[in-house]
Amino acid sequence: MKFFTVGPAELYPTCQQHYQTAFEQQIGSISHRSEAFRKIYQHTDEQLRALLNIPATHQIYFTSSATEIWERLLLNLVDQYSFHFVQGAFSQKFYDYANSLQKKPTLHKVQDGLGFENLNEINIEENTELICFTQNETASGIRVPEDEMSASKPRFTNALICCDVVSAVPYVAVDFTTMDSAFFSVQKGMGMPPGLGVWIVNEACLNKAEQLKQNGKNIGAHFQLSAFAKNYKKFETPSTPNTMAIYVLGKIAEDMNNYGIQKIRQETETKFETLYDFIQQEERFHFLSSNKNHLSRTTMVANSTIAASELNKKLKPHEMIIASGYGSFKDQQIRIANFPSIKMDELENLLSVI
Amino acid sequence: MKFFTVGPAELYPTCQQHYQTAFEQQIGSISHRSEAFRKIYQHTDEQLRALLNIPATHQIYFTSSATEIWERLLLNLVDQYSFHFVQGAFSQKFYDYANSLQKKPTLHKVQDGLGFENLNEINIEENTELICFTQNETASGIRVPEDEMSASKPRFTNALICCDVVSAVPYVAVDFTTMDSAFFSVQKGMGMPPGLGVWIVNEACLNKAEQLKQNGKNIGAHFQLSAFAKNYKKFETPSTPNTMAIYVLGKIAEDMNNYGIQKIRQETETKFETLYDFIQQEERFHFLSSNKNHLSRTTMVANSTIAASELNKKLKPHEMIIASGYGSFKDQQIRIANFPSIKMDELENLLSVI
């Protein structure tokens, strides 16, 4: 079965082999305080830096999911005021987490299926501590173009800025000189089974967490940023992590680096254009947004007159599966992944059957 | 290499094969909202119930680690007052988490390497909301015998009782009629790579979390008990879990059920006696506690005149490794696992080399 689903998704071609090697090397049994583990962490760190152009100003930590990181960001970086750009169910949940944690978040929400117009003219209060972007909304298929995110940094020197790049990695080119934190999980574009989150933070984030802690604020107990930072110095983690997945992530990042990130980006864009043209030409499908620049390059979402479940019946004999719409859009929308694990001929094959 | 370490530990003999099957069945790509996933969850649920004698009064949820569950227990079940039996570094951390979360925990701590005497005469305040046992302290090798934990229930009808059985499963026989919650991670006795936590809760826990929420308390955002309970009804999870590990855990639990939990327990006890006699007879090692009933059956800790690192040099040519002491006891103690993945002849082999 070829998974065109948006995550969990098709595994990267080398994924299973790396897991097998991990078993052969008994990585599932090694201590996370051993030299063997430190080397694995360091290797994954180096390969992710190369792949995603992460500068030395930022550290890379491992959690179990991106969902978990929403909470950790809000606990460690926000006393009261976070600001949330919401263009779908996942960015909405990030905002909901802030409410559950009894913060005072501000919601800036667009209509279903649309993106943010004139993003950098939107008013954000001076007291805002954290501005939250969901760069690629997996539910609605609406992105925030990287340059628009980046333009926020000079405007808000008092606020930290973070972006959820869960389903955009490795395609997305985040400019980390304008981004304090970014995070993703591995079961999307990295083509791995779920169970690992990656959290990238700079020193400003560490300082903010420290400041909140010193002021007697509750920044949570598990995964405090200071614990990550302390352990990171020797490439260790605060508690036992998903060691195997950290190893495999480093190996897949290495494979992608060898393949070439520019090539991956170009192929993603070429496949996107093919998908885009297909949806535009087909009577059964249409985009809610007419702004092509707002459409996700990696997770395409379109309204559909046929439920995904019906399309999947047709696809099943061909051993292919796409994703339904998210939540209440289950039967009205289809979602198709455009991750590195999907090749152009496979995509064309899918579209010819659809 | 044979891992006699206390976790991450030696993998269960069938572990790698189950991961391979999981890859063949593409479990890393399936949606956690699919029928395929629900069947996996249900199977793992059924096998764990059989293995650990978990009654229908309790539900089984999945997190990413036991460390994470410490925080979730305190957030969901405690407004202010938790009580912590502390006999080592991990039970201490559980208590520390309560402080970090700005609760008002009570600490009942014994001297290093000793167990609790007359546990059921220890005073616990009436206002206590959660009594926290660490049934098997992986750092100190000191256990709380099951019957002594169970005797707490009739004494404290107002408090919920939970136990950390991280390194005691599947050997430990928790009496769930006297235990509101129990939890463990899979990289110890279950013989899996790290990355999955198992959280067992009853309705009293769900009610308490609901009550705190209704009273406007901050019970956290991620992994609220109500979200687990709602999703559990259809064998789903609140967010994307470590799907592969849930599958493999169910399969290993099934293997253990087929092997027989009584046989596993008997073998564990026989191996324990062998280990115990060895330590008692050896000049180089000794137990801090003279109460045999307080000694862990699954993770043996002994003071040692030789550092574990030195012993491991001797063991390396024989492809064996043991664990050092935890934290500040690194060079003064050794720790040896007695999990189901260790067979008697392997243990005897280890002891003959030591």
Side-chain angles (χ1 to χ4, degrees):
Chain A
M1 185 74 80
K2 187 81 190 175
F3 284 81
F4 294 86
T5 50
V6 293
E10 180 73 17
L11 299 188
Y12 199 68
T14 57
C15 180
Q16 185 178 353
Q17 179 56 52
H18 291 314
Y19 264 95
Q20 198 178 311
T21 307
F23 274 108
E24 283 159 15
Q25 295 183 5
Q26 296 186 289
I27 289 169
S29 297
I30 63 169
S31 165
H32 57 293
R33 306 271 173 237
S34 68
E35 187 55 27
F37 175 74
R38 287 183 211 112
K39 279 186 183 158
I40 289 169
Y41 192 148
Q42 187 174 358
H43 176 262
T44 304
D45 182 272
E46 287 165 358
Q47 294 299 328
L48 286 177
R49 284 182 188 283
L51 187 69
L52 306 175
N53 200 21
I54 303 168
T57 47
H58 289 63
Q59 305 191 344
I60 304 173
Y61 306 144
F62 299 110
T63 72
S64 63
S65 72
T67 317
E68 180 183 20
I69 298 171
W70 290 339
E71 188 184 50
R72 296 300 151 192
L73 277 164
L74 294 162
L75 283 170
N76 281 277
L77 304 184
V78 179
D79 178 18
Q80 295 192 75
Y81 305 107
S82 54
F83 184 98
H84 299 258
F85 286 98
V86 170
Q87 79 269 35
F90 291 102
S91 40
Q92 175 75 42
K93 282 187 188 184
F94 193 177
Y95 167 78
D96 293 342
Y97 267 38
N99 274 320
S100 290
L101 293 170
Q102 309 190 335
K103 309 290 181 191
K104 294 167 182 161
T106 299
L107 175 71
H108 183 85
K109 190 174 179 174
V110 286
Q111 206 184 311
D112 287 331
L114 301 189
F116 303 100
E117 301 295 342
N118 306 315
L119 186 142
N120 282 294
E121 290 166 21
I122 292 162
N123 182 52
I124 297 180
E125 295 289 336
E126 269 297 310
N127 62 8
T128 301
E129 299 167 81
L130 181 66
I131 298 172
C132 306
F133 287 108
T134 300
Q135 196 277 328
N136 192 73
E137 180 41 271
T138 319
S140 68
I142 296 295
R143 70 170 183 171
V144 181
E146 291 99 311
D147 55 342
E148 295 187 24
M149 284 199 314
S150 290
S152 297
K153 192 66 185 169
R155 284 182 70 210
F156 303 102
T157 47
N158 291 329
L160 295 169
I161 304 182
C162 72
C163 66
D164 177 332
V165 287
V166 163
S167 51
V169 162
Y171 167 77
V172 69
V174 173
D175 174 2
F176 282 97
T177 65
T178 65
M179 191 56 64
D180 298 292
S181 181
F183 57 98
F184 61 95
S185 49
V186 300
Q187 74 271 19
K188 314 273 181 175
M190 297 308 292
M192 286 174 58
L196 187 69
V198 179
W199 190 10
I200 304 156
V201 301
N202 69 5
E203 192 144 354
C205 296
L206 300 178
N207 292 342
K208 173 77 188 208
E210 197 52 40
Q211 182 200 320
L212 289 178
K213 200 173 176 178
Q214 280 179 9
N215 290 344
K217 306 295 178 184
N218 179 355
I219 63 166
H222 190 54
F223 285 164
Q224 289 187 358
L225 272 181
S226 58
F228 273 122
K230 185 183 155 203
N231 282 280
Y232 181 77
K233 283 181 187 149
K234 33 184 183 172
F235 288 115
E236 291 187 8
T237 54
S239 55
T240 317
N242 188 339
T243 325
M244 298 272 268
I246 294 172
Y247 167 82
V248 173
L249 177 61
K251 286 295 177 185
I252 289 180
E254 186 181 353
D255 294 337
M256 288 180 173
N257 282 322
N258 290 337
Y259 189 79
I261 182 65
Q262 288 317 323
K263 199 171 166 193
I264 289 173
R265 288 194 179 127
Q266 277 159 17
E267 288 177 353
T268 302
E269 278 160 20
T270 309
K271 286 182 291 166
F272 165 76
E273 293 297 338
T274 301
L275 251 171
Y276 177 81
D277 291 345
F278 176 81
I279 300 290
Q280 289 290 59
Q281 284 157 18
E282 277 282 327
E283 289 271 320
R284 295 169 293 170
F285 310 118
H286 78 277
F287 295 116
L288 284 170
S289 171
S290 57
N291 186 336
K292 191 175 170 185
N293 195 33
H294 286 168
L295 297 181
S296 164
R297 269 48 185 167
T298 52
T299 54
M300 180 156 289
V301 179
N303 270 32
S304 172
T305 54
I306 315 158
S309 54
E310 286 303 311
L311 282 172
N312 277 332
K313 278 182 198 161
K314 201 163 138 187
L315 291 168
K316 201 174 177 183
H318 303 271
E319 302 222 303
M320 295 188 283
I321 183 169
I322 62 169
S324 62
Y326 188 82
S328 58
F329 297 103
K330 194 175 193 302
D331 293 331
Q332 295 133 258
Q333 295 186 338
I334 58 167
R335 293 186 296 163
I336 300 175
N338 178 21
F339 295 144
S341 303
I342 308 284
K343 293 297 166 197
M344 180 57 112
D345 59 329
E346 295 164 336
L347 180 65
E348 283 171 343
N349 193 16
L350 173 81
L351 299 182
S352 73
V353 178
I354 287 181
Chain B
M1 185 74 82
K2 187 83 190 175
F3 285 81
F4 294 86
T5 50
V6 293
E10 181 73 17
L11 299 188
Y12 200 69
T14 57
C15 181
Q16 184 178 354
Q17 179 57 52
H18 290 314
Y19 265 95
Q20 199 178 312
T21 307
F23 274 108
E24 284 159 15
Q25 295 183 5
Q26 296 186 287
I27 289 169
S29 297
I30 62 169
S31 165
H32 58 293
R33 305 271 173 239
S34 67
E35 187 56 27
F37 175 74
R38 287 183 211 113
K39 279 185 183 158
I40 289 169
Y41 192 148
Q42 187 174 358
H43 176 261
T44 304
D45 181 273
E46 287 166 359
Q47 294 299 328
L48 285 177
R49 284 181 189 283
L51 187 69
L52 306 175
N53 200 21
I54 303 167
T57 46
H58 289 63
Q59 305 191 343
I60 304 174
Y61 306 145
F62 299 110
T63 73
S64 62
S65 72
T67 317
E68 179 183 19
I69 298 169
W70 289 339
E71 189 184 50
R72 296 300 150 193
L73 277 163
L74 293 162
L75 282 169
N76 281 277
L77 304 184
V78 179
D79 178 19
Q80 295 192 76
Y81 304 107
S82 54
F83 184 99
H84 299 258
F85 286 98
V86 171
Q87 80 269 35
F90 290 102
S91 40
Q92 175 75 42
K93 282 187 188 187
F94 193 178
Y95 168 77
D96 293 342
Y97 267 37
N99 274 320
S100 290
L101 294 169
Q102 309 191 335
K103 309 291 181 190
K104 294 168 181 160
T106 299
L107 175 70
H108 183 85
K109 191 173 178 172
V110 285
Q111 207 184 311
D112 287 330
L114 301 189
F116 302 100
E117 300 294 342
N118 306 314
L119 187 142
N120 282 294
E121 290 166 21
I122 293 163
N123 182 52
I124 297 180
E125 296 290 337
E126 269 297 310
N127 62 8
T128 300
E129 298 166 81
L130 181 68
I131 299 171
C132 306
F133 287 109
T134 300
Q135 196 276 328
N136 192 73
E137 183 38 272
T138 319
S140 68
I142 295 295
R143 71 169 183 171
V144 181
E146 291 98 311
D147 56 342
E148 294 187 24
M149 283 200 314
S150 290
S152 296
K153 192 67 185 168
R155 283 182 69 211
F156 303 102
T157 47
N158 291 330
L160 295 168
I161 304 182
C162 71
C163 66
D164 178 333
V165 286
V166 163
S167 50
V169 163
Y171 167 77
V172 68
V174 172
D175 174 1
F176 282 97
T177 65
T178 65
M179 191 56 63
D180 297 292
S181 182
F183 57 99
F184 62 96
S185 49
V186 300
Q187 74 271 20
K188 314 274 182 178
M190 297 307 292
M192 286 174 58
L196 187 70
V198 179
W199 190 10
I200 303 155
V201 300
N202 69 5
E203 192 144 355
C205 296
L206 299 179
N207 291 342
K208 173 77 189 208
E210 197 52 39
Q211 181 200 321
L212 289 178
K213 200 174 175 176
Q214 280 178 9
N215 290 343
K217 306 295 179 184
N218 179 356
I219 62 167
H222 191 55
F223 285 165
Q224 288 188 359
L225 271 181
S226 58
F228 272 123
K230 186 182 154 204
N231 281 281
Y232 182 76
K233 284 182 187 150
K234 32 184 185 172
F235 287 116
E236 291 187 11
T237 55
S239 55
T240 318
N242 188 340
T243 325
M244 298 271 269
I246 294 171
Y247 167 82
V248 173
L249 177 62
K251 286 295 176 183
I252 289 180
E254 185 181 354
D255 293 337
M256 288 179 173
N257 281 323
N258 289 337
Y259 190 81
I261 182 65
Q262 288 318 322
K263 199 170 167 196
I264 288 173
R265 289 194 177 126
Q266 278 159 19
E267 287 177 354
T268 302
E269 279 159 18
T270 309
K271 286 181 292 166
F272 164 78
E273 293 296 339
T274 301
L275 252 172
Y276 178 82
D277 291 344
F278 176 81
I279 299 290
Q280 290 288 59
Q281 285 156 20
E282 278 282 326
E283 289 271 318
R284 296 168 292 170
F285 310 118
H286 79 276
F287 294 116
L288 284 169
S289 171
S290 58
N291 185 336
K292 190 176 172 184
N293 195 33
H294 285 169
L295 298 181
S296 165
R297 269 47 185 168
T298 52
T299 54
M300 179 157 288
V301 179
N303 270 32
S304 172
T305 55
I306 315 159
S309 53
E310 287 302 310
L311 282 172
N312 277 332
K313 279 180 198 161
K314 200 164 142 188
L315 291 168
K316 201 173 177 185
H318 302 271
E319 302 223 302
M320 296 188 282
I321 183 170
I322 62 168
S324 62
Y326 188 83
S328 58
F329 297 103
K330 193 174 194 300
D331 293 331
Q332 295 133 258
Q333 294 185 340
I334 58 168
R335 293 185 295 164
I336 299 175
N338 178 22
F339 295 143
S341 304
I342 308 283
K343 293 295 165 199
M344 180 57 113
D345 59 330
E346 295 164 335
L347 180 66
E348 283 171 341
N349 194 16
L350 172 82
L351 300 182
S352 73
V353 178
I354 287 181

